[in-house]
Amino acid sequence: MIKSKIIYLILLVCMIFFYILFVDSMSLLILILTAVFPVMQLLVLLRISKNITAVLDIDCSAIERDTPAKIAVKLKNHSVFPVSCAVVSLDIINTLTNEKQSLTTMLPVASDNEQSIKFSVSYAHCGMVRVALKSIKIYDYIKLFSKQINYNCTHDIAVLPTLQTIGSGLSTTLDSMTENEEFSKLKAGDDCSEIFSIREYIYGDKINRIHWNLTTKLDELMVKEYSLPVSSQIMIIFEFCRNGNDDESLYRNDASLETAMALSYYMFRNSITHKIAWYDPKLKMLHTEKISSEIDFSSFLSAVYSSGTYTDMFSAFIYSKAENSDSHFSHVFYISPAVSDELYHNFSVLNNADHKTYLYVNNGSELPDYFTSTDTTCAASVECDSISDSLNKVII
C-alpha cells in the first residue's frame, strides 16, 4: 500500500511537470484526472464497504485431535462495484492450552456475487478451539486506500481426545463388579435412592422432600431424610494439568485425559458403574461425575473442558483425599502426568480403598526406583504413544 502511494505521488508530480512544460487543455485534463482519480477510488471504496458481508461457515462442532477441520469464510458483495482485493484474517485459539494461530488470505469478489475461501486446519492438542473472524480489510483498485470492516463472528470447535480401546485381555476382580453401594447408618445425606429416616417438618426443609402419603395419614407435615453413601465401586481420579506450554507437557496432559476416558469407556460398556473426578481450577474444588451411561460419559468430557487446565500438578489427588475421607472405594485409579516420592507414598497408604492403582503418564523417560507395586498398590507406566497396550496390563 505504501508502494502504491509512492508510485501515485511520482505520477502526480510528473503530471504537474507535464502541464508546466506543455500548457494546453489536454495536459490540464490529464492533470485533473490524475488528481481526482484517488477521490473517486475512495468514494467507491466507502460504497463497497457498506455493502459487503462476511460469515463463518464451519460444519462441525467437534473433531478428534490431529483430524483436519474444514473452515470456510463466505464474502457477499451486494454492490455494483467489484472488490479487487479483500484480506480475510482469522484468529484461532485453544482456550485450554492458550495456543494461538492466525490465518490470512486475499481474494477478489465480483459485483453482486459471493466468494468463499476455505481453510483446512488440524489441532494437535485437546481443548475448546475458538475460531474468530474479527474483521476483513478491503482495498481500492490501485491500493491507495483501505477500509477495515469489523465483525464478531466466532465458532467453537471441541477437539476431542482420541478414544483408546482396551482389549478383552484386561482383567477384572469380582468385588469391583458389584453394583451394591453402602449407606451411612449414623448420618443423613443427599442420595435420594435411599431413605435414611422420616421426621416432622422443620422450617427451611425443601418442599420436594415432603412425604405426602404419610402427611395425609398423620395430618402433619412429614419429610424424608436421604442417605449418605459411604461406599462406591470404583473411583478414577486424573490430573488435567500441565507444567508449561512445551509439546511434551501438552502431550502428557492429553494422554492423562485419554487414559481416564479409556478406563471409563471400558467400564460403562461392561456395565460397571463408577465415578470419575478431576480438579476444577475455576471453582477451586474437586469435580466428580457418576458414569453409568453413554450420556454421562459425553457430559463428563464437556464438564472437563469447562473446568480448564491448571499448573499445580497434584491438585486432583489433594482435593480428593480431603473430600473423600469418609467414603470407601473398592478400587481407586489415580492418573497423573507427574510423579513424586511423597505423593506416591501418600497414595499407597490411602485407607479408603481396597485396591489402588497409580498410572503415570510417561513419555519414554526412565521411571524412578520407588515407582513399584506393593501388596495393595499397583504402579504402572502409561506410554503416550501406546495407551491401549499399557492399559491392557491393568487389573480393574
Side-chain angles (χ1 to χ4, degrees):
M1 193 168 165
I2 295 177
K3 182 180 178 181
S4 299
K5 290 181 178 179
I6 293 174
I7 293 174
Y8 170 74
L9 288 175
I10 295 174
L11 177 63
L12 182 60
V13 170
C14 292
M15 290 302 100
I16 293 173
F17 276 107
F18 180 74
Y19 174 70
I20 294 173
L21 296 174
F22 302 93
V23 181
D24 59 12
S25 58
M26 179 61 70
S27 61
L28 177 61
L29 180 61
I30 294 174
L31 177 60
I32 293 173
L33 289 176
T34 304
V36 172
F37 186 70
V39 178
M40 296 171 59
Q41 292 285 299
L42 180 60
L43 292 175
V44 171
L45 179 65
L46 293 176
R47 176 68 177 177
I48 294 174
S49 66
K50 296 179 179 179
N51 292 276
I52 192 167
T53 57
V55 293
L56 276 174
D57 183 21
I58 304 175
D59 59 0
C60 64
S61 58
I63 58 169
E64 281 194 5
R65 64 189 184 96
D66 294 322
T67 301
K70 303 297 182 181
I71 300 174
V73 180
K74 291 184 177 180
L75 296 182
K76 177 68 176 178
N77 182 8
H78 302 275
S79 73
V80 296
F81 301 103
V83 177
S84 62
C85 180
V87 178
V88 179
S89 297
L90 296 179
D91 292 331
I92 303 175
I93 181 171
N94 188 324
T95 57
L96 285 183
T97 63
N98 291 323
E99 293 175 289
K100 297 180 181 180
Q101 183 181 7
S102 294
L103 300 175
T104 304
T105 189
M106 295 186 295
L107 70 160
V109 186
S111 61
D112 196 22
N113 207 333
E114 183 179 270
Q115 183 69 34
S116 179
I117 182 71
K118 296 181 180 180
F119 302 90
S120 181
V121 184
S122 62
Y123 310 96
H125 302 291
C126 303
M128 189 63 71
V129 172
R130 176 156 295 172
V131 182
L133 172 63
K134 297 295 184 182
S135 63
I136 62 170
K137 183 180 284 188
I138 57 174
Y139 293 86
D140 66 289
Y141 301 123
I142 59 175
K143 293 187 177 180
L144 286 179
F145 307 102
S146 65
K147 174 68 174 178
Q148 183 168 294
I149 308 170
N150 295 321
Y151 293 94
N152 191 23
C153 300
T154 60
H155 186 92
D156 290 338
I157 303 175
V159 182
L160 308 178
T162 304
L163 183 57
Q164 307 285 342
T165 56
I166 303 178
S168 57
L170 189 144
S171 303
T172 56
T173 55
L174 293 177
D175 56 340
S176 296
M177 300 289 287
T178 178
E179 293 292 331
N180 296 326
E181 187 168 47
E182 299 175 9
F183 297 90
S184 173
K185 297 180 181 180
L186 303 174
K187 188 177 180 181
D190 294 313
D191 195 313
C192 59
S193 62
E194 188 86 4
I195 296 177
F196 178 74
S197 67
I198 298 175
R199 58 171 173 77
E200 294 181 1
Y201 177 84
I202 300 175
Y203 178 77
D205 285 336
K206 296 179 180 179
I207 301 299
N208 61 357
R209 292 197 177 191
I210 295 178
H211 195 304
W212 293 108
N213 291 336
L214 196 57
T215 296
T216 304
K217 291 180 180 179
L218 300 179
D219 197 24
E220 184 178 2
L221 283 175
M222 305 296 291
V223 296
K224 296 174 285 188
E225 283 192 326
Y226 296 134
S227 294
L228 175 68
V230 295
S231 178
S232 300
Q233 297 86 358
I234 298 175
M235 169 69 87
I236 301 173
I237 306 165
F238 72 97
E239 302 285 2
F240 195 51
C241 61
R242 52 193 174 89
N243 58 2
N245 289 322
D246 58 288
D247 273 348
E248 182 178 347
S249 176
L250 294 174
Y251 276 118
R252 287 193 182 193
N253 186 45
D254 293 338
S256 179
L257 177 58
E258 289 181 1
T259 303
M261 279 186 62
L263 283 172
S264 181
Y265 187 77
Y266 176 86
M267 290 179 196
F268 95 74
R269 293 290 292 177
N270 287 274
S271 301
I272 305 176
T273 300
H274 59 283
K275 291 181 179 179
I276 191 163
W278 66 96
Y279 177 65
D280 187 331
K282 295 179 181 177
L283 300 177
K284 298 188 184 302
M285 61 176 288
L286 189 74
H287 195 128
T288 304
E289 293 281 347
K290 185 176 182 180
I291 310 296
S292 58
S293 66
E294 193 160 358
I295 296 176
D296 297 336
F297 183 76
S298 300
S299 61
F300 134 71
L301 186 59
S302 176
V304 172
Y305 281 3
S306 297
S307 299
T309 60
Y310 49 93
T311 55
D312 297 330
M313 299 301 291
F314 307 115
S315 296
F317 174 78
I318 294 170
Y319 276 78
S320 174
K321 184 179 178 181
E323 293 187 18
N324 293 308
S325 58
D326 294 331
S327 301
H328 187 80
F329 302 96
S330 59
H331 201 149
V332 171
F333 289 90
Y334 176 60
I335 306 164
S336 174
V339 66
S340 74
D341 190 0
E342 181 181 0
L343 185 103
Y344 184 72
H345 171 74
N346 288 334
F347 178 75
S348 64
V349 297
L350 284 177
N351 56 10
N352 65 340
D354 297 329
H355 303 281
K356 301 177 285 286
T357 300
Y358 193 123
L359 297 174
Y360 169 49
V361 177
N362 193 15
N363 199 19
S365 59
E366 187 176 347
L367 292 172
D369 294 336
Y370 59 80
F371 197 68
T372 56
S373 299
T374 63
D375 293 338
T376 59
T377 304
C378 175
S381 172
V382 177
E383 300 299 328
C384 291
D385 55 353
S386 58
I387 294 176
S388 296
D389 294 338
S390 301
L391 291 180
N392 279 327
K393 304 172 184 177
V394 175
I395 298 177
I396 297 180

